[in-house]
Amino acid sequence: MHTHAYAATSHDTPLGPFEFERREPGPVDVVIDILFCGICHSDLHAAKSEWGGSTYPLVPGHEIVGRVTATGASVTKFRTGDLVGVGCMVDSCRHCTPCHEGLEQYCENGFTGTYNSPEQGTGANTHGGYSDKIVVREEFVLRVPEGMDPAAAAPLLCAGITTYSPLRHWKVGPGKKVGVVGLGGLGHMGVKLAHAMGAEVTLFTTSPGKEADARRLGADHVVLSTDAEAIKSVAGKFDVILNTVAATLDLGPYMNALALDGSMVLVGAPPGEHRGISVFNLLMGRRSLAGSLIGGIAETQEMLDFCAAHDVASDIEIIPINAVNAAYERMAKGDVKYRFVIDMQSLKDEVA
Ligand code: NAP
Ligand code: ZN
Ligand code: ZN
């Protein structure tokens, strides 16, 4: 299917218009007209090959919301006109133990990323949501509850599930003290979701100007992480700290902030290693240092339904697709409140 998109053609060139063919839909495929696509910091890491291994041309985008325009003959879950979402995965091996347990993100044979990943069967490089349409197997398509704002729902497909999954896994709820490090796309969803789950939420931020927003989003306390005394004042306090920062950090002060049996969960994925991991810091308080990757398909649906029930969505700034390079520059500087979302009508208008 002929598809219009924006792509990076090398690690140091801006994204620009690109056309390519998506596979013709097979019996289990859903064709989606893309309405909105969020901009995740992972898109920037991948477009610039900051993790290495990027294949060009690269069409980023894994926070996709759109409407179904066609379904294969065997598709049972979706119909033309349905409001749907696609996140970071479009396929996996579908037979290993994690896949059977709904943990496709930990597929033993490697899940198929929505972009920059070899497509099952053909090996063709997958292309993401900065495009006008996408073809996805129905098992990897999510139902977006009708009534949700489709633009504000888009970031839930990555930022939402990446924070929801560890909050659930580490049993966040009433009576738990949760720290969230960094108020960006992931961080602001972490604050909203932990608050909606009933926890007492503290935001750690490097940006003094974000304090009022943090409280509006659901934080009970705000700690300026550049203030060493302020971090020391919360030593031993947290059951869970969710670290969403896109840069390498000294983890020491945050590990000190964990309570007995507390866990620091890394979700931020900086290209490089954090500093300040101390054996004694871990064993003195039986503390854990962990990581978490997005979330499985069933849990992503659970998260969307939770967000609909609790009136949670992303705080967004909608941009036309030709502003994507400027948005990347602002995101790199931490200047985003709190997720850029591309209105895909702008791409359709550009190519009309
Ligand atoms: P983002 O919107 O750019 O937010 C990152 C936030 O981190 C910033 O707003 C800033 O918050 C803080 N920060 C940035 N640089 C910092 C520095 N040098 N020192 C301290 N704090 C800093 O990014 P995002 O889209 O939320 O993504 C965050 C990270 O998660 C990225 O590395 C991304 O690749 C990764 N990610 C991982 C997964 C997963 O499955 N684990 C999924 C999606 C994304 P303050 O201004 O409040 O300090
Ligand atoms: Zn993402
Ligand atoms: Zn698998």
Side-chain angles (χ1 to χ4, degrees):
M1 305 187 85
H2 195 68
T3 304
H4 291 275
Y6 261 51
T9 48
S10 79
H11 75 278
D12 60 358
T13 46
L15 276 71
F18 172 63
E19 296 177 37
F20 66 101
E21 296 298 322
R22 293 208 183 269
R23 68 169 183 267
E24 289 302 318
V28 298
D29 283 331
V30 174
V31 184
I32 301 163
D33 172 53
I34 300 176
L35 299 173
F36 294 98
C37 185
I39 297 182
C40 178
H41 207 113
S42 300
D43 298 348
L44 189 158
H45 290 313
K48 296 186 184 303
S49 201
E50 290 177 351
W51 294 321
S54 290
T55 303
Y56 298 96
L58 186 147
V59 178
H62 57 210
E63 294 185 337
I64 299 167
V65 169
R67 291 245 176 230
V68 175
T69 54
T71 54
S74 309
V75 169
T76 57
K77 276 171 59 191
F78 299 100
R79 286 191 196 169
T80 298
D82 285 352
L83 189 64
V84 294
V86 178
C88 302
M89 301 183 284
V90 290
D91 208 346
S92 68
C93 86
R94 292 174 256 125
H95 59 70
C96 72
T97 303
C99 281
H100 277 305
E101 291 177 347
L103 297 168
E104 300 88 350
Q105 73 275 34
Y106 304 115
C107 174
E108 288 171 0
N109 300 296
F111 68 83
T112 306
T114 302
Y115 60 83
N116 194 38
S117 202
E119 184 176 76
Q120 301 267 352
T122 66
N125 195 28
T126 56
H127 288 314
Y130 298 5
S131 60
D132 58 359
K133 64 178 79 67
I134 191 164
V135 179
V136 182
R137 289 180 70 89
E138 72 165 326
E139 303 99 305
F140 287 81
V141 178
L142 287 308
R143 183 170 298 285
V144 176
E146 287 291 347
M148 275 190 136
D149 172 359
L156 301 178
L157 277 306
C158 176
I161 185 59
T162 301
T163 48
Y164 182 91
S165 183
L167 292 173
R168 283 287 189 231
H169 185 78
W170 275 273
K171 301 194 167 38
V172 164
K176 293 286 172 132
K177 292 188 171 65
V178 176
V180 175
V181 188
L183 196 68
L186 267 58
H188 93 292
M189 289 313 308
V191 168
K192 286 187 184 210
L193 290 167
H195 175 73
M197 291 173 187
E200 182 182 329
V201 183
T202 300
L203 173 74
F204 292 91
T205 180
T206 59
S207 307
K210 292 181 181 173
E211 173 160 359
D213 275 349
R215 292 188 189 275
R216 174 178 58 78
L217 297 169
D220 301 286
H221 317 279
V222 177
V223 173
L224 196 60
S225 52
T226 49
D227 177 347
E229 289 307 312
I231 298 206
K232 273 191 199 148
S233 74
V234 291
K237 181 169 173 181
F238 296 96
D239 300 298
V240 178
I241 296 180
L242 194 61
N243 187 333
T244 75
V245 175
T248 54
L249 293 176
D250 177 4
L251 294 185
Y254 299 104
M255 298 304 296
N256 272 331
L258 291 172
L260 174 63
D261 286 330
S263 300
M264 156 98 88
V265 186
L266 306 177
V267 289
E273 302 303 328
H274 290 305
R275 308 173 301 283
I277 299 164
S278 144
V279 172
F280 275 83
N281 210 335
L282 289 167
L283 57 82
M284 294 304 285
R286 199 161 60 182
R287 293 162 169 151
S288 301
L289 177 61
S292 184
L293 183 69
I294 47 176
I297 295 296
E299 194 173 44
T300 304
Q301 189 63 60
E302 178 189 307
M303 176 275 308
L304 287 167
D305 297 341
F306 176 92
C307 287
H310 291 81
D311 204 18
V312 171
S314 180
D315 280 32
I316 58 170
E317 180 176 338
I318 297 181
I319 60 162
I321 198 159
N322 63 15
V324 66
N325 295 299
Y328 277 19
E329 281 172 28
R330 281 182 52 196
M331 185 162 61
K333 289 188 288 191
D335 175 22
V336 47
K337 290 184 173 177
Y338 281 90
R339 199 56 136 184
F340 291 112
V341 172
I342 302 165
D343 181 348
M344 219 50 72
Q345 189 58 46
S346 60
L347 173 63
K348 295 164 194 170
D349 291 344
E350 223 175 76
V351 302

